[in-house]
Amino acid sequence: MANDHSKRTYDSILGLLSSEDNPTPLVRINRITPFKHAQVYAKLEWYNPFGAVKCRVAANLVRDAEERGILGPGKNLVEATSGNTGLGLAMIGNAKGYPLQTPLSMAIPLEKRTILRFFGANVVELDDTLCPAPGAPEGAIARAHDTAKANPNTILLDQYANEANPDAHVRTTGPEVWRQTDGKVTHFIAGVGTCGTITGTGRFLKRRNPGVKVLAAIPEEGHDIPGVRSRRQLKQTKLYRPAEYDGDTEITNKEAFDLCLRLNREESIIAGPSSGMALAAAFKLVPDEPGVVAVVIFPDNIFKYASSIVRHFPQLAPAEKPGAASGAPSAHEQLFDAMVENLKNPHDSVAVGPLVEELAGAAKPLVVDVRPLDQYTDLHVPGSVNLPQSELGQRAAELPSDRNAPIVMVCGIGKFSKHTTLFLKSMGYKNVRSLKGGINEWVRKGQKTEGSKV
């Protein structure tokens, strides 16, 4: 049986991949729009065969690699991911015979990590940022590059730098939007992660009509929205082309998750948090004028984000029963999380620049690296000492006896250093801080390091 979009019959699941002849749906936003004149449409990308906009990218990365002759029988794939590209590559790899290894951050929702394993991917969990950062030591992207270099049969497609990423949207998303709006689209809005969607779709639409406005939704620093990147994170993304965009705006976690909830409850659109973020940007940037037709990319649905929902809407979690475990954080856990969050203040944390100045002064703080010994040995802040988090209780005697001594705790990305900062404060240390961004940020800022990999 041949592929037939009109009958929705296909030779294989890969025939269901999106294209101009088989587009994902475009649905008008009706109830929650603040506009009287402008029309806003959501492009529902979870109708791609593996559930997200990144199916387009995964398919085009594989196609491009096959056509260039670097991918074929007997080859494996490795790709750092924040989830959705990995899901697409895992399933396309299953169909074509390319096993996938995917290094990723433990901050990625458990649902995505579990489904990646269910799909057959070899998931390597790391103490990395929510969105992998190129060049970061011990990060997902660095691990992917190292894996590919060590094994000639393992191919890194590199969605963060590969022009086949935006090209996927030049080939599919852009033509779909143009055809679905009969060429009347005036504004295109997308969140920024690898930036393939906004760059590729924007290029196509501007070729058809240079007057189309391409607008970026950017999450706030410290965001909790998987798959997208803050302004600081975007500086390390090779496909970020701000000169090709017409504007952007920063969206808070609260704005994104609140609008995500309203989409589900008031529009009956099962959108995830990055969809709420993109729509919030549209509401801020798009003018309310007759003739305006705005198209917003909704990358995936809500079902992968139950753990994120509980964090932002704890009232939606099942009520705890006495003596029974619950998926919702307990009152104790919520209090601890709040305490960790509070450590972002300037008194309990320090950025790389000020720490460098302090280390060059007379009253140098003691820098304590709480990562495992092997990671510390590979790379660390010069002059720092290693007290792994797992051993800190037993080795507390190695800390200064003076409870007023200045101490800075360091980990991979600034997560576990906050935990150990709290621990030292509980011991009576009054001048202990956490290094913002950890050793990853130290390296990004170009500071000197010591270790076997230097």
Side-chain angles (χ1 to χ4, degrees):
M1 184 180 296
N3 292 337
D4 187 336
H5 295 308
S6 65
K7 295 180 180 178
R8 304 290 284 174
T9 56
Y10 302 93
D11 281 334
S12 81
I13 190 66
L14 298 184
L16 197 56
L17 288 164
S18 300
S19 67
E20 187 176 1
D21 295 325
N22 184 42
T24 56
L26 207 61
V27 176
R28 186 170 177 178
I29 303 297
N30 295 296
R31 295 186 175 185
I32 65 175
T33 177
F35 300 142
K36 293 182 179 180
H37 305 291
Q39 300 177 31
V40 179
Y41 289 85
K43 191 156 177 61
L44 310 186
E45 290 297 290
W46 54 87
Y47 282 87
N48 281 287
F50 311 120
V53 65
K54 290 302 184 77
C55 295
R56 302 174 184 270
V57 173
N60 204 51
L61 291 173
V62 169
R63 177 203 61 78
D64 174 72
E66 289 177 332
E67 290 184 359
R68 289 190 288 121
I70 65 172
L71 185 61
K75 299 291 187 180
N76 302 324
L77 295 172
V78 62
E79 187 72 22
T81 179
S82 58
N84 284 332
T85 303
L87 292 169
L89 283 175
M91 294 302 260
I92 292 171
N94 289 344
K96 289 176 168 282
Y98 305 135
L100 171 70
Q101 179 184 129
T102 177
L104 47 69
S105 166
M106 290 184 290
I108 290 171
L110 176 62
E111 298 90 330
K112 281 187 176 181
R113 289 179 277 141
T114 301
I115 295 302
L116 274 166
R117 289 191 175 94
F118 190 78
F119 282 1
N122 175 14
V123 177
V124 180
E125 296 180 334
L126 302 169
D127 177 21
D128 196 8
T129 54
L130 187 63
C131 287
E138 303 146 19
I141 292 178
R143 178 66 66 88
H145 279 275
D146 289 345
T147 300
K149 288 177 183 177
N151 189 340
N153 288 323
T154 298
I155 306 302
L156 172 64
L157 299 176
D158 197 359
Q159 61 171 320
Y160 301 96
N162 193 331
E163 291 295 334
N165 179 344
D167 179 62
H169 301 283
V170 173
R171 291 169 175 263
T172 64
T173 317
E176 291 174 33
V177 169
W178 187 258
R179 182 179 181 185
Q180 288 174 302
T181 62
D182 295 320
K184 296 178 181 178
V185 58
T186 59
H187 296 75
F188 175 77
I189 304 93
V192 287
T194 65
C195 297
T197 302
I198 191 169
T199 299
T201 308
R203 284 176 179 173
F204 178 89
L205 294 177
K206 283 183 174 291
R207 289 173 190 169
R208 291 300 183 95
N209 176 9
V212 173
K213 302 299 182 184
V214 177
L215 306 170
I218 301 178
E220 65 178 339
E221 293 296 338
H223 66 90
D224 187 32
I225 307 171
V228 294
R229 289 173 176 259
S230 66
R231 292 189 191 277
R232 179 178 60 81
Q233 293 167 328
L234 283 171
K235 294 177 182 178
Q236 301 148 1
T237 305
K238 293 184 179 179
L239 302 176
Y240 176 50
R241 312 283 165 75
E244 299 182 25
Y245 318 146
D246 297 288
D248 63 52
T249 188
E250 194 168 284
I251 304 299
T252 66
N253 279 333
K254 181 172 174 33
E255 289 174 313
F257 278 89
D258 284 354
L259 207 47
C260 172
L261 182 67
R262 293 192 66 194
L263 279 166
N264 282 266
R265 291 190 172 184
E266 298 177 48
E267 298 281 352
S268 297
I269 295 177
I270 55 173
S274 57
S275 303
M277 183 191 77
L279 186 60
F283 288 166
K284 287 185 176 183
L285 296 173
V286 173
D288 187 15
E289 300 171 355
V292 168
V293 177
V295 174
V296 185
I297 290 291
F298 280 21
D300 63 357
N301 63 38
I302 193 63
F303 297 118
K304 301 168 188 170
Y305 303 102
S307 54
S308 299
I309 292 171
V310 170
R311 281 197 301 275
H312 291 272
F313 303 103
Q315 71 274 18
L316 300 180
E320 284 191 72
K321 296 180 180 179
S326 169
S330 66
H332 173 79
E333 291 169 330
Q334 291 182 44
L335 181 60
F336 177 78
D337 290 343
M339 292 168 65
V340 171
E341 184 69 15
N342 288 341
L343 288 179
K344 291 181 178 179
N345 73 73
H347 305 291
D348 296 313
S349 63
V350 60
V352 169
L355 178 57
V356 172
E357 294 178 2
E358 291 179 25
L359 291 173
K364 297 180 181 179
L366 173 66
V367 179
V368 179
D369 193 316
V370 300
R371 296 174 298 152
L373 177 60
D374 59 337
Q375 295 180 13
Y376 170 83
T377 302
D378 286 342
L379 191 79
H380 56 264
V381 175
S384 62
V385 300
N386 182 227
L387 290 177
Q389 182 183 20
S390 61
E391 303 173 16
L392 194 54
Q394 295 83 2
R395 297 175 60 184
E398 298 177 36
L399 293 166
S401 57
D402 180 4
R403 291 312 199 254
N404 291 310
I407 303 173
V408 175
M409 311 301 282
V410 178
C411 68
I413 60 173
K415 176 182 178 182
F416 298 115
S417 60
K418 294 191 187 79
H419 296 177
T420 53
T421 295
L422 279 178
F423 178 72
L424 263 64
K425 284 182 175 294
S426 74
M427 296 174 61
Y429 286 95
K430 299 178 178 62
N431 192 10
V432 56
R433 294 166 293 167
S434 170
L435 177 62
K436 292 182 179 179
I439 190 69
N440 284 7
E441 185 66 9
W442 182 271
V443 172
R444 289 191 194 101
K445 295 294 187 181
Q447 298 302 323
K448 293 181 180 179
T449 58
E450 295 178 343
S452 60
K453 287 191 174 182
V454 176

